[in-house]
Amino acid sequence: SISYPKFYKMDRLSKLGFLATEVLLKDLRLLDKYKAEKVAVVISNSNASLDTDLKYFESTKNIASPALFVYTLSNIVAGEICIRQGIKGENAFFVLPGFDSTRLFEYAEIVMASEKTDACIACWVDMLGGKH
C-alpha cells in the first residue's frame, strides 16, 4: 500500500532496505522529532551490490541497461531511504565479511556522538540471488 512510483524501478537491495525502513518508521514521525540534517543512516552488508552487478553484467552482453547501472553502487539503498524519508544527515555503507552487530553498533555510536546527529538508522541489508 505504499504510494511511491519510483519503488518499482529500484533494484532488489534498495527495495529491501526501503521496505525495512518503512516498517521501522511506520508509526514514528521521524522528522517531527528530529531535523532532517540531524538524522543519519548507516547500512552494512556482505555482498555490496553484487545482486545487481550480476544482472548488469548480463545486460552488457546485448545492450547495457542504464536502469541497472545506477544500482551498481551499494550505497544507493541509503540514498533511496534518505529521499523517501527526507533524511539529509550523514550516511555510510560498509561491506563486511558477515553480519557484525558490534561494528555496526560502534559506528552508530560514533555518529551519535557528533553534535551533528540526533538520530541514526543503523541496519544490515543484504541481497544475493534469492537470499536476503
Side-chain angles (χ1 to χ4, degrees), residues 12-95:
R12 296 182 329 160
L13 180 66
S14 293
K15 286 179 181 179
L16 184 61
F18 181 97
L19 290 174
T21 306
E22 288 289 307
V23 171
L24 176 70
L25 301 177
K26 181 180 175 219
D27 297 321
L28 178 66
R29 300 183 62 85
L30 188 67
L31 298 185
D32 287 350
K33 290 184 165 195
Y34 306 102
K35 291 183 179 180
E37 306 80 33
K38 291 195 162 243
V39 178
V41 175
V42 178
I43 302 173
S44 185
N45 79 12
S46 63
N47 289 298
S49 59
L50 187 57
D51 188 65
T52 301
D53 296 346
L54 294 170
K55 289 178 184 156
Y56 178 74
F57 177 73
E58 283 301 312
S59 80
T60 64
K61 293 178 181 176
N62 295 313
I63 298 175
S65 169
L68 285 174
F69 179 73
V70 72
Y71 291 101
T72 60
L73 298 170
S74 51
N75 66 331
I76 294 297
V77 63
E80 295 289 6
I81 291 167
C82 290
I83 291 167
R84 168 67 172 179
Q85 301 298 329
I87 296 169
K88 297 179 181 175
E90 178 178 343
N91 71 68
F93 193 105
F94 298 100
V95 180

Side-chain angles (χ1 to χ4, degrees), residues 105-114:
F105 178 78
E106 287 173 351
Y107 190 79
E109 275 189 318
I110 291 167
V111 170
M112 290 297 294
S114 165

Side-chain angles (χ1 to χ4, degrees), residues 112-125:
M112 290 297 294
S114 165
E115 290 182 18
K116 296 179 182 181
T117 306
D118 291 334
C120 180
I121 297 169
C123 59
W124 174 269
V125 179

